[in-house]
Amino acid sequence: MANAIFLFDNQADDGVITASSTAGGTTPASNVQNPQRSAVWRSGAGTTSQLNCTLSSIYGVTHAALVDVNLSTAGTIRLQSWSDALDGSVPGVDVTFYPTLYVNTALVSTAWGTGPYGIGAYGLSGSLNSAKNITIIPLGLSSFDTYWRVTLSDINTSYQQFGRLFLGSGQELTYNLTYGWQADRQERSVSVESLGGQRYTQPRDDRLQLRGTFDFLTDAERTEMLLRMQQFGQHRPFVFSVYPEQSNQGMTTTVYGSFSSVSVSGLFYNSNQLPFTVIEEL
């Protein structure tokens, strides 16, 4: 089982983004650089599409992540890189992953983005009980290639879309998250009760909140996390996963969000404590 992981530094946000097609003016390819996850890129009609990213700053890519892909379990995500040019003669990474989706035969899945463009993550007519998804792709190495391509394919979709692209280095701490972490959801639906006692509710997506403690940070990791606290504060979103794996367990314990609270305590030499809370961005 992989350690819990933070995906902080997103080099794709500074890159040049292009796509094989775009559905409309409100869903350009550049939306994958927008911290607002519901500002999606949507392809034109078809079962396959591509999104390209030319990195401007290269610090090494160990992980990729896609937020809120609309693929079904039949879909695939292919990630490729080159050092000389897109479709160049010096290839690097070439991996194919299945999207990390919640699999429950008792529920009917709802595709993301149904309904008019730009109306939240689900669309005006979409269901509010679909699980959000984040697919984390570990590369197993640190790639310094400049040119990257994501190819989405799915015979069950008439277009492809997702909200955020991450290309960067994942940060795993030496000693994993202590058991005792917590997950809860912040209710956002608004209810009004009538004089007769009937309740009328406007349903809204709730927020996933993950809490935990890393109990044994080294001094070097303590310094690194203090810098992260300064850099990201409680307003810049990133990806955090308790179980970065392709399963229901992985999907329900992975969040695109920002720190709600975080602190560092220096207990002993080379033994430091990091209690934190990450709250989901919608």
Side-chain angles (χ1 to χ4, degrees):
M1 182 183 70
N3 282 5
I5 193 169
F6 292 93
L7 304 183
F8 282 125
D9 295 322
N10 191 357
Q11 297 166 49
D13 282 349
D14 297 326
V16 177
I17 302 291
T18 60
S20 57
S21 64
T22 299
T26 59
T27 60
S30 59
N31 274 357
V32 301
Q33 297 173 312
N34 190 328
Q36 182 180 337
R37 69 190 297 168
S38 59
V40 300
W41 162 67
R42 179 180 293 183
S43 74
T47 58
T48 299
S49 60
Q50 296 174 333
L51 185 133
N52 303 313
C53 179
T54 301
L55 299 182
S56 301
S57 303
I58 305 171
Y59 305 110
V61 175
T62 64
H63 290 75
L66 278 70
V67 176
D68 299 338
V69 295
N70 74 322
L71 304 181
S72 72
T73 52
T76 58
I77 302 168
R78 184 182 183 188
L79 181 69
Q80 298 169 273
S81 71
W82 297 267
S83 62
D84 55 340
L86 288 166
D87 278 325
S89 59
V90 188
V93 172
D94 191 348
V95 295
T96 299
F97 261 64
Y98 291 102
T100 303
L101 303 174
Y102 187 75
V103 179
N104 186 339
T105 55
L107 299 177
V108 177
S109 62
T110 301
W112 279 72
T114 54
Y117 297 142
I119 311 297
Y122 296 95
L124 185 63
S125 60
S127 170
L128 289 174
N129 63 0
S130 294
K132 300 177 181 64
N133 63 82
I134 301 173
T135 299
I136 297 176
I137 303 174
L139 304 185
L141 51 80
S142 185
S143 171
F144 291 87
D145 289 344
T146 301
Y147 303 93
W148 294 80
R149 171 172 292 162
V150 176
T151 301
L152 304 179
S153 301
D154 193 341
I155 60 174
N156 294 323
T157 58
S158 58
Y159 61 86
Q160 296 76 50
Q161 76 174 35
F162 61 94
R164 290 286 278 144
L165 171 66
F166 177 92
L167 292 170
S169 296
Q171 183 170 351
E172 298 182 28
L173 299 176
T174 303
Y175 299 100
N176 199 15
L177 187 67
T178 302
Y179 281 103
W181 61 270
Q182 296 179 332
D184 58 74
R185 308 200 71 94
Q186 288 190 345
E187 179 61 56
R188 297 178 56 252
S189 298
V190 177
S191 296
V192 176
E193 186 171 311
S194 70
L195 291 175
Q198 296 80 24
R199 296 183 65 188
Y200 300 89
T201 302
Q202 180 189 64
R204 301 179 182 179
D205 290 343
D206 53 15
R207 296 182 190 273
L208 173 63
Q209 188 168 247
L210 296 177
R211 298 189 184 97
T213 301
F214 289 92
D215 275 323
F216 302 103
L217 270 69
T218 65
D219 287 352
E221 290 171 338
R222 177 193 63 197
T223 300
E224 174 70 15
M225 292 307 297
L226 285 169
L227 290 172
R228 297 300 188 185
M229 291 162 57
Q230 177 180 329
Q231 180 183 8
F232 283 81
Q234 296 185 14
H235 61 280
R236 289 187 58 189
F238 52 89
V239 174
F240 172 72
S241 181
V242 178
Y243 298 107
E245 58 188 44
Q246 291 184 286
S247 65
N248 287 354
Q249 174 176 259
M251 207 202 73
T252 54
T253 58
T254 300
V255 64
Y256 173 72
S258 54
F259 285 124
S260 174
S261 65
V262 62
S263 61
V264 173
S265 301
L267 302 177
F268 304 100
Y269 172 73
N270 229 24
S271 179
N272 305 273
Q273 195 175 66
L274 175 73
F276 69 94
T277 301
V278 179
I279 187 167
E280 185 175 35
E281 295 285 334
L282 297 177

